[in-house]
Amino acid sequence: MLLLTRRQTIFAAIAASLAGRTAFAQSAPAKVRIALDWTPNTNHIGIYVAKAKGFYADAGLDVEILPFTDTSAGTLVSNGVADFGISSEIETLTQRAGGGDVKMVYGVVQTETARLIFKGGRDDIKSPKDLDGKTYGGFGGTWESALISAIIRNDGGKGDVKTVTLGTSAYEALDNGSIDFTLEIYTWEGIAAELENRKISRFHYSDYGIPDEQTTVIVSSDAYLSASREHARAFIQATRKGYAYSVDHPDEACELLISGSNGALMNTELVKASQKALIEGHFLKSEAGVIGTLDPAKAEALGGFLMENGILVDANGAALKEKPDFSTYYTNELLD
């Protein structure tokens, strides 16, 4: 009887140990990877806040922020290297049209943050039509020429410009006269230029017939969303909580972004001024209180513009002949 009791005790202990290990395994946080589109900046602030404040951990997630590489975040997501990525609405539309497994799942900004810029004080540039025949400093995007040409034509010009690919700072190129105009993200590059007292003039795309867009978005893939729907939902909702917190507590959020960037961000003044611009301009949170939601009307209008200008091409590089169902290019379901 004593031997049986001892055996029962040993077996019970083993069973308890195994049960404990199983429970631990079940409660271990799910690994999620998000790829950045550039070095850390205020477009990413909600992600860093959610990580630092424990919003991801509370949601049962272990989030790894992948550093920026020469490969676009959308491509990394499409190929399963990352589960999520920071991208742009234009890039996502073009990549998905070309067969990439990429889908918008969160709108970081609610309205366009990009601007067409040129050196201030130029008497020969009063409106976009004056850019005809001048030199544009580009970044290699297939959509850039269509955008620039449309802005100029909509102002009454021909849309004929010379294009060079920038190998240096856009602002330096403007200063030394190697280019006449270029593009910027106002809420970061533009704010930096203002802090440096650079004299820059700007045109808003939407003032010249270009559809408004949610410039910065978070993307995932249909493959990941199908396999890990609940983890995806948990990630997006915790991320929205991080961005909302950054709007309500900007100074703390900026400090969390800086400390989480591992030395990539040293200019505290720029970070705080950029976050201030994002908040006051209602980019992160609209005047109506919308945060994170993707706008179907904007996706449809921008997709239509890209389609009309031959920017949307299939996997073989041929321009799409039929308009895609753009509602399949994004989802707001993870925010519910």
Side-chain angles (χ1 to χ4, degrees):
M1 178 67 76
L2 181 59
L3 179 60
L4 180 60
T5 301
R6 286 178 178 173
R7 286 180 176 175
Q8 289 175 330
T9 301
I10 292 171
F11 290 150
I14 292 173
S17 175
L18 290 174
R21 291 178 186 177
T22 301
F24 175 79
Q26 290 177 342
S27 62
K31 189 76 173 179
V32 173
R33 303 156 300 172
I34 180 166
L36 300 185
D37 61 334
W38 199 248
T39 53
N41 57 70
T42 44
N43 277 346
H44 313 140
I45 196 166
I47 297 164
Y48 282 88
V49 168
K51 188 173 178 68
K53 297 294 291 184
F55 299 158
Y56 290 137
D58 291 344
L61 304 176
D62 175 16
V63 174
E64 179 183 6
I65 302 174
L66 303 179
F68 166 71
T69 70
D70 289 338
T71 303
S72 75
T75 299
L76 294 177
V77 167
S78 183
N79 287 284
V81 177
D83 307 309
F84 296 92
I86 302 291
S87 188
S88 71
E89 189 165 18
I90 286 180
E91 184 174 57
T92 307
L93 291 169
T94 55
Q95 286 184 330
R96 189 171 178 95
D101 184 9
V102 60
K103 175 177 285 189
M104 293 180 282
V105 293
Y106 185 92
V108 174
V109 297
Q110 292 300 308
T111 190
E112 178 71 71
T113 56
R115 304 285 185 265
L116 187 155
I117 64 171
F118 57 97
K119 193 172 182 179
R122 291 189 57 161
D123 294 332
D124 60 332
I125 303 177
K126 302 296 184 182
S127 69
K129 65 176 180 290
D130 298 324
L131 299 174
D132 261 333
K134 292 184 168 53
T135 301
Y136 165 66
F139 306 93
T142 57
W143 51 269
E144 291 175 58
S145 60
L147 173 71
I148 298 301
S149 180
I151 289 174
I152 296 173
R153 291 197 315 272
N154 290 343
D155 189 47
K158 296 179 180 178
D160 297 329
V161 300
K162 303 169 188 175
T163 299
V164 298
T165 301
L166 289 171
T168 183
S169 162
Y171 298 98
E172 290 177 8
L174 288 175
D175 286 342
N176 63 34
S178 59
I179 64 172
D180 295 298
F181 66 104
T182 186
L183 307 179
E184 71 168 9
I185 298 298
Y186 171 70
T187 50
W188 184 258
E189 297 165 311
I191 295 299
E194 290 179 358
L195 292 176
E196 294 168 359
N197 294 314
R198 291 180 181 271
K199 193 173 183 181
I200 299 293
S201 294
R202 299 175 171 87
F203 296 138
H204 291 220
Y205 301 174
S206 58
D207 289 343
Y208 299 94
I210 306 302
D212 189 24
E213 69 164 313
Q214 294 179 265
T215 320
T216 304
V217 298
I218 295 177
V219 299
S220 188
S221 65
D222 284 322
Y224 180 77
L225 296 178
S226 176
S228 305
R229 191 74 174 184
E230 291 311 309
H231 293 156
R233 187 186 304 277
F235 173 79
I236 288 300
Q237 294 192 8
T239 297
R240 178 165 61 175
K241 188 175 180 181
Y243 278 104
Y245 191 94
S246 79
V247 172
D248 294 336
H249 307 86
D251 288 339
E252 181 187 355
C254 288
E255 293 299 333
L256 293 175
L257 172 62
I258 293 169
S259 62
S261 71
N262 295 320
L265 283 176
M266 304 297 291
N267 191 335
T268 302
E269 182 183 19
L270 170 58
V271 173
K272 291 188 173 182
S274 174
Q275 181 67 0
K276 184 172 184 287
L278 283 166
I279 294 171
E280 292 184 350
H282 300 287
F283 292 103
L284 296 180
K285 186 177 182 179
S286 74
E287 291 186 77
V290 175
I291 182 167
T293 303
L294 292 155
D295 188 330
K298 290 181 179 179
E300 185 72 23
L302 185 62
F305 170 79
L306 296 175
M307 178 82 182
E308 292 167 8
N309 285 274
I311 301 303
L312 297 186
V313 300
D314 62 22
N316 297 316
L320 298 187
K321 295 181 179 180
E322 295 185 8
K323 187 177 180 181
D325 179 2
F326 291 117
S327 68
T328 65
Y329 283 42
Y330 64 89
T331 180
N332 285 311
E333 292 180 2
L334 302 180
L335 290 167
D336 296 337

